[in-house]
Amino acid sequence: MKKGKGCEGKAPGMRVRGHPVLGEPPGGREITVFLDGKPLPAREGEPLAAALFASGIRVAHYAAEGREPRGPFCMIGRCTECRMVLEGKGMVLTCLTPAEEGMRLHTPGRRGKP
Amino acid sequence: MKLRRESHPLVVVGAGPAGLCAALEAAEAGLPPLVLDEGSRGGGQLVKQIHRFFGSREHGAGKRGFQIAEELVSGCLGKGVEIRLGHKVLGFFPDGRLLVDGDEGVFVLQPGATILATGAVEKSFPFPGWTLPGVMGAGAAQTLVNQHRVMPGKRALMVGAGNVGLIVAYQLLQAGVEVAGVIEVNRAVGGYAVHAGRLRREGVPILLRHRLRAAEGKKEVESVLVEDMERGTWKRFSVDTLCLAVGMAPQAELAAMRGCRLVYLSELGGFLPWHDRAMRTDRPGVYVAGDLAGVEEASVAMDEGRLAGLAAALDAGVLDPGEAAERMEEVMDRLELLRGGPFGEPRRKAKERLCSMTGLVTGGAGRKAGIRGRTGRR
């Protein structure tokens, strides 16, 4: 794996900073998870979907035989649109699954991939 | 496979404002319940509410939702309520047992009585491009910015100028997301003027008589097509996020599975379990409260929760009927006030219609319902 080129960088700065009511976010430990083999920064304990949004990644899986990208719709575990494959667990709802160091996520349903 | 079994005199499903207030009341009456919630934090949707609440002291007026949530959770814990987070209720069988999935595995829970406070789910509707990533419920955007502290996108368009649409649009601005506008098919703003005023002062246009036509983009939302219904012209908004605030529906699956009779009332969000004024359903030992019992607001949910908690304690024989009646009257009077005014009136009338639907209900529950404040044990 090449070093230095992770998933972040497409849309840096998607974390909320200097909020007028909430102030600075609580500082969870910075960890690394992997998306389709590439490192992705995350805060320990935040839902995996939040870590993806923080890096500007909004496609969770592909439906309709790979033709339709889908992404989180409800963020509270109802719509199932945020589902992804987590190694060792199978299909999970990323909006409810807390991020842990070293987790390996995969985008299911992409054309040509399982 | 043999499943582990557990039992509890009173189980509350949902740790939102309704469930926690129900738990508080029941605990105060001497029946501390077990509260189950699938989320990782108690307080339900209150945890992402950062605006100051209206209403009276009993409803936490002047406080922000997440502060009310913290108070309710610590209040419950102080009174011996057990709150199990990360617990999903998979089923509610006609014989009254619950199937629960938690960190201890899947187990069967036999409750003495059950209070369902499962809340509501955001509605959606189909339109071209509605499955594109970047299209989401307004509540999802609110969860992202206020709870998880990340932005759903850089520039958003809000559909629906009710309170949810107006409040979330403003909260997106507070989080640093650009808001291109709020569109609304009706001729007037549906939410409170104070929320609309805040947006207008920030220069966000609220476009009345504008209809959503399509979300466009290859892999994600890149633009949104909107029709000006008066002129018949179309506009294209260059946004990466489309938020839908087009109403909510009660989450009645568990109630339906248990066999509770459902009633359709559009003013209250759709199908909901029939219930009497003390929040009893037509199934013995099953109570409902909050958005499940009709989509209203958090203050209403709290008071309905208190009613359900009192009714459960009364029916279990741990609360003196005289005291229960007195406390219920007090809460019912407050609910009457909350449902006053032009916004509350349709909901108040719908609730009245619901409680007068005696013919639908088998047994004595329906007849009891017509009598205001009737709190006799069944």
Side-chain angles (χ1 to χ4, degrees), chain B residues 95-114:
Chain B
D95 64 5
R97 288 179 304 167
L98 294 158
L99 187 67
V100 186
D101 185 10
D103 42 21
E104 64 271 61
V106 176
F107 63 98
V108 176
L109 181 57
Q110 176 75 64
T114 309

Side-chain angles (χ1 to χ4, degrees), chain B residues 342-371:
Chain B
F343 288 105
E345 190 67 9
R347 292 186 269 119
R348 189 179 62 78
K349 284 191 174 150
K351 277 275 184 179
E352 259 168 26
R353 269 210 321 284
L354 174 79
C355 291
S356 64
M357 288 177 185
T358 49
L360 279 174
V361 180
T362 52
R367 284 192 300 278
K368 275 183 186 173
I371 306 158

Side-chain angles (χ1 to χ4, degrees), chain B residues 274-341:
Chain B
W274 178 90
H275 56 274
D276 70 5
R277 289 179 182 276
M279 312 313 293
R280 297 182 182 98
T281 68
D282 66 329
R283 299 288 110 183
V286 181
Y287 309 79
V288 288
D291 278 354
L292 165 64
V295 176
E296 297 191 70
E297 27 190 275
S299 323
V300 171
M302 286 190 245
D303 273 341
E304 285 192 344
R306 290 183 182 111
L307 284 178
L310 287 168
L314 171 70
D315 296 347
V318 300
L319 188 61
D320 170 68
E323 197 189 329
E326 201 178 297
R327 302 218 48 189
M328 282 183 175
E329 278 293 335
E330 195 185 298
V331 180
M332 284 171 183
D333 286 347
R334 267 204 323 258
L335 274 171
E336 195 89 352
L337 285 178
L338 282 173
R339 293 182 180 127

Side-chain angles (χ1 to χ4, degrees), chain B residues 50 57 89 95 104 139 153 156 193 211 224 239 252 261 289 334 356 375:
Chain B
I50 61 167
R57 192 168 47 82
V89 176
D95 64 5
E104 64 271 61
R211 182 192 297 171
V224 171
V239 293
R261 193 176 296 271
R334 267 204 323 258
S356 64
T375 51

Side-chain angles (χ1 to χ4, degrees), chain B residues 209-242:
Chain B
R209 299 288 287 154
H210 278 63
R211 182 192 297 171
L212 172 63
R213 282 303 195 165
E216 306 167 309
K218 205 166 171 318
K219 200 176 139 198
E220 300 177 34
V221 176
E222 290 163 25
S223 55
V224 171
L225 268 180
V226 170
E227 181 194 351
D228 180 331
M229 296 157 75
E230 294 297 328
R231 294 195 183 129
T233 54
W234 294 43
K235 294 174 189 169
R236 178 173 278 120
F237 287 85
S238 177
V239 293
D240 62 6
T241 304
L242 178 64

Side-chain angles (χ1 to χ4, degrees), chain B residues 31-347:
Chain B
L31 191 67
L34 167 63
V35 183
L36 304 170
D37 194 286
E38 66 183 339
S40 56
R41 220 169 129 184
Q45 305 315 309
L46 280 176
V47 304
K48 62 191 190 195
Q49 310 298 337
I50 61 167
H51 62 283
R52 289 184 199 280
F53 275 57
F54 311 146
S56 62
R57 192 168 47 82
E58 286 82 3
H59 308 116
K63 290 181 200 153
R64 303 180 195 275
F66 63 91
Q67 294 164 330
I68 300 172
E70 283 162 15
E71 285 177 16
L72 290 176
V73 168
S74 59
C76 278
L77 296 178
K79 291 204 163 61
V81 175
E82 187 189 351
I83 303 176
R84 283 195 220 168
L85 301 172
H87 282 65
K88 192 179 278 218
V89 176
L90 303 174
F92 192 10
F93 300 105
D95 64 5
R97 288 179 304 167
L98 294 158
L99 187 67
V100 186
D101 185 10
D103 42 21
E104 64 271 61
V106 176
F107 63 98
V108 176
L109 181 57
Q110 176 75 64
T114 309
I115 298 174
L116 293 175
T118 49
V121 61
E122 289 192 284
K123 285 180 186 167
S124 180
F125 61 94
F127 53 87
W130 73 316
T131 60
L132 278 174
V135 176
M136 65 184 76
Q142 191 184 34
T143 303
L144 281 168
V145 292
N146 293 347
Q147 196 177 342
H148 306 315
R149 319 292 279 278
V150 292
M151 293 181 245
K154 291 188 164 137
R155 190 171 146 86
L157 183 72
M158 179 67 68
V159 180
N163 275 323
V164 173
L166 298 174
I167 290 173
V168 175
Y170 188 72
Q171 292 177 352
L172 284 170
L173 283 181
Q174 287 182 309
V177 180
E178 212 181 309
V179 179
V182 178
I183 63 167
E184 168 62 56
V185 291
N186 290 315
R187 290 174 197 282
V189 166
Y192 293 121
V194 54
H195 298 310
R198 243 179 232 145
L199 276 176
R200 291 204 179 100
R201 280 196 295 281
E202 296 292 331
V204 174
I206 298 174
L207 304 166
L208 303 173
R209 299 288 287 154
H210 278 63
R211 182 192 297 171
L212 172 63
R213 282 303 195 165
E216 306 167 309
K218 205 166 171 318
K219 200 176 139 198
E220 300 177 34
V221 176
E222 290 163 25
S223 55
V224 171
L225 268 180
V226 170
E227 181 194 351
D228 180 331
M229 296 157 75
E230 294 297 328
R231 294 195 183 129
T233 54
W234 294 43
K235 294 174 189 169
R236 178 173 278 120
F237 287 85
S238 177
V239 293
D240 62 6
T241 304
L242 178 64
C243 296
L244 306 178
V246 293
M248 285 183 272
Q251 247 183 122
E253 294 91 340
L254 287 176
M257 194 177 173
R258 174 65 179 81
C260 296
R261 193 176 296 271
L262 300 186
V263 178
Y264 189 88
L265 288 165
S266 60
E267 299 92 327
L268 295 170
F271 279 104
L272 54 113
W274 178 90
H275 56 274
D276 70 5
R277 289 179 182 276
M279 312 313 293
R280 297 182 182 98
T281 68
D282 66 329
R283 299 288 110 183
V286 181
Y287 309 79
V288 288
D291 278 354
L292 165 64
V295 176
E296 297 191 70
E297 27 190 275
S299 323
V300 171
M302 286 190 245
D303 273 341
E304 285 192 344
R306 290 183 182 111
L307 284 178
L310 287 168
L314 171 70
D315 296 347
V318 300
L319 188 61
D320 170 68
E323 197 189 329
E326 201 178 297
R327 302 218 48 189
M328 282 183 175
E329 278 293 335
E330 195 185 298
V331 180
M332 284 171 183
D333 286 347
R334 267 204 323 258
L335 274 171
E336 195 89 352
L337 285 178
L338 282 173
R339 293 182 180 127
F343 288 105
E345 190 67 9
R347 292 186 269 119

